[in-house]
Amino acid sequence: MAAPVESVTKHPAERSPFTTTSFQKKTRSKLISIPGTRPSVQNGQLLVSTGVTSLDFLLGGGLAVGTVLLIEEDRYDSYSRMILKYFLAEGVVCRHELFVGAAQDNPDDILQELPSPILDDVAIHKPAEQPQLSREPQDSLDAMKIAWRYQHLPKVQSALASSSRFGHYYDVSKMMEAEIRQAAKCHRFYLPEHPTQSSTTRSPVLESYSALLKSLQEVIHKEGFAVAASMSKSRNILRIGLHSLGSALWGDDLSCHDNPAHCHSLTTFLYGLRALLRSSLAVAVVTVPSYLIQDRALMGSITRLCDNAIALESFKGSERETNPLYKDYHGLLHVRQVPHLNCLASQLPDHKDLAFKLKRKQFTIETLSLA
């Protein structure tokens, strides 16, 4: 005999407020917490700082982990090399591991040139002192009128800066102390120490690039930077700095001939590098002497195989160096490409006319103003 209805049903007022239902609130997956990183406010991608605050702002908050930043070198390779050193110095301060690959200079020489970090207590801007009003009441009234008159005018700020601080500041006039530099773990790839055989066939990848990519794969998998690696130990970021790819020192003839024999070597390497980074906790900065590459279509392919791309145009040796209109700047910065992760198309930043300058102690990117 079935139980009475009164015994199995309750009045709405008698029902427990904690009655469970099949509805469950969807929660976000837990992000990886690594020192020196932060999630992007746009897509949640894990970001690291380039070491240049204005460049972080230009790239949407920083460099996304798993991406490649291409820097088209200036003719004297002074400012592009400086940004590369900023990137590596930020890795040292954040205790990230480094991978430096070069064919001309020994990676140890590049690491010895890293700029010195500025102490936090020095970098923090102190609040400005309040101006002392005159004791005379009329002077005090006039000061209040002037302040009210200008308080609604728009503030002009040429320097690119984000609202929240990310990264550190560095003094390019000083070298990083050896104790700080040696505390970071660094992997080196110096091409003269990896002898390769010259090939007369039109191989899709040069042996120098193949050895470099193989070395990167070994470091990523053995040191636990692969995303699929076990979580037995704390995770870290691998910062990869590759200097002057595409130059003749790497055995590449892109900058030597109009019809190079290895025209697809660099693009094939970048394709493999980007595929490797997509599944690892690593980020790369690559410099290329684009001013020596005559084939602009090939240079366009190189740019598209990177997630971020900027070009530096120095005023050294040009008419703009002595032009009084450009006296406050040392060169122009062109944005070739910005990342379009998790979206169909990328959007170039609002700032079109950009310039960079090297102050007494700091490298900054600003909006070009010829007033």
Side-chain angles (χ1 to χ4, degrees), residues 208-218 268-269 272-273 276:
S208 58
Y209 293 152
S210 178
L212 176 59
L213 191 61
K214 182 179 179 180
S215 180
L216 281 169
Q217 289 176 335
E218 292 178 355
T268 306
F269 168 78
L273 174 64
L276 182 63

Side-chain angles (χ1 to χ4, degrees), residues 15-323:
R15 291 180 182 176
S16 173
F18 302 103
T19 303
T20 58
T21 64
S22 60
F23 172 78
Q24 293 182 356
K25 184 178 180 180
K26 185 178 179 180
T27 59
R28 296 181 179 179
S29 59
K30 187 177 180 181
L31 296 176
I32 301 177
S33 178
I34 301 177
T37 66
R38 72 174 179 184
S40 171
V41 297
Q42 299 175 354
N43 51 23
Q45 188 78 19
L46 201 64
L47 301 179
V48 298
S49 174
T50 60
V52 183
T53 306
S54 51
L55 182 58
D56 290 340
F57 177 79
L58 191 64
L59 298 177
L63 280 178
V65 175
T67 61
V68 182
L69 168 62
L70 172 68
I71 302 178
E72 298 184 21
E73 299 176 1
D74 51 293
R75 292 187 177 274
Y76 296 95
D77 189 24
S78 55
Y79 298 105
S80 56
R81 185 187 180 97
M82 184 176 298
I83 295 180
L84 179 62
K85 290 187 291 186
Y86 266 105
F87 172 73
L88 297 175
E90 180 69 18
V92 173
V93 175
C94 295
R95 301 296 179 90
H96 298 162
E97 292 192 25
L98 307 180
F99 184 101
V100 183
Q104 178 179 3
D105 298 328
N106 194 305
D108 291 331
D109 297 336
I110 297 177
L111 293 173
Q112 290 179 359
E113 299 174 357
L114 298 184
S116 175
I118 300 176
L119 299 178
D120 290 340
D121 54 352
V122 178
I124 297 176
H125 298 284
K126 298 180 180 180
E129 298 181 357
Q130 296 294 334
Q132 297 180 356
L133 296 179
S134 175
R135 297 180 180 179
E136 298 295 333
Q138 185 63 32
D139 295 341
S140 176
L141 182 61
D142 293 340
M144 293 177 60
K145 289 182 179 180
I146 295 175
W148 179 84
R149 184 182 307 168
Y150 289 100
Q151 67 179 354
H152 297 292
L153 292 180
K155 297 181 180 180
V156 179
Q157 184 178 6
S158 59
L160 302 178
S162 58
S163 57
S164 60
R165 177 180 172 182
F166 184 49
H168 301 82
Y169 299 99
Y170 300 89
D171 185 353
V172 295
S173 64
K174 299 179 181 179
M175 300 300 175
M176 182 180 293
E177 296 181 2
E179 296 179 358
I180 302 176
R181 188 178 67 249
Q182 294 172 0
K185 187 175 181 179
C186 181
H187 309 273
R188 301 164 178 82
F189 182 92
Y190 186 38
L191 184 60
E193 297 178 355
H194 296 76
T196 57
Q197 299 177 357
S198 59
S199 177
T200 57
T201 60
R202 290 178 175 262
S203 175
V205 182
L206 288 173
E207 291 191 9
S208 58
Y209 293 152
S210 178
L212 176 59
L213 191 61
K214 182 179 179 180
S215 180
L216 281 169
Q217 289 176 335
E218 292 178 355
V219 171
I220 288 176
H221 292 293
K222 290 183 179 180
E223 301 296 330
F225 292 105
V227 175
S230 61
M231 302 290 290
S232 58
K233 63 178 183 179
S234 59
R235 308 304 295 269
N236 201 357
I237 299 295
L238 177 65
R239 288 177 176 250
I240 303 171
L242 305 179
H243 181 251
S244 201
L245 294 183
S247 66
L249 296 172
W250 286 94
D252 205 338
D253 57 351
L254 284 179
S255 58
C256 303
H257 305 284
D258 296 337
N259 187 19
H262 305 283
C263 58
H264 299 296
S265 295
L266 183 54
T267 53
T268 306
F269 168 78
L270 291 175
Y271 185 85
L273 174 64
R274 191 172 67 170
L276 182 63
L277 295 183
R278 285 294 192 269
S279 59
S280 61
L281 294 175
V283 59
V285 171
V286 178
T287 67
V288 173
S290 60
Y291 61 92
L292 296 176
I293 300 177
Q294 302 298 325
D295 191 346
R296 305 316 301 172
L298 179 59
M299 190 61 215
S301 300
I302 294 173
T303 301
R304 288 188 294 272
L305 284 171
C306 299
D307 302 286
N308 310 269
I310 61 175
L312 302 178
E313 182 184 350
S314 175
F315 291 159
K316 289 184 179 180
S318 65
E319 297 180 354
R320 292 176 177 174
E321 185 177 12
T322 57
N323 192 330

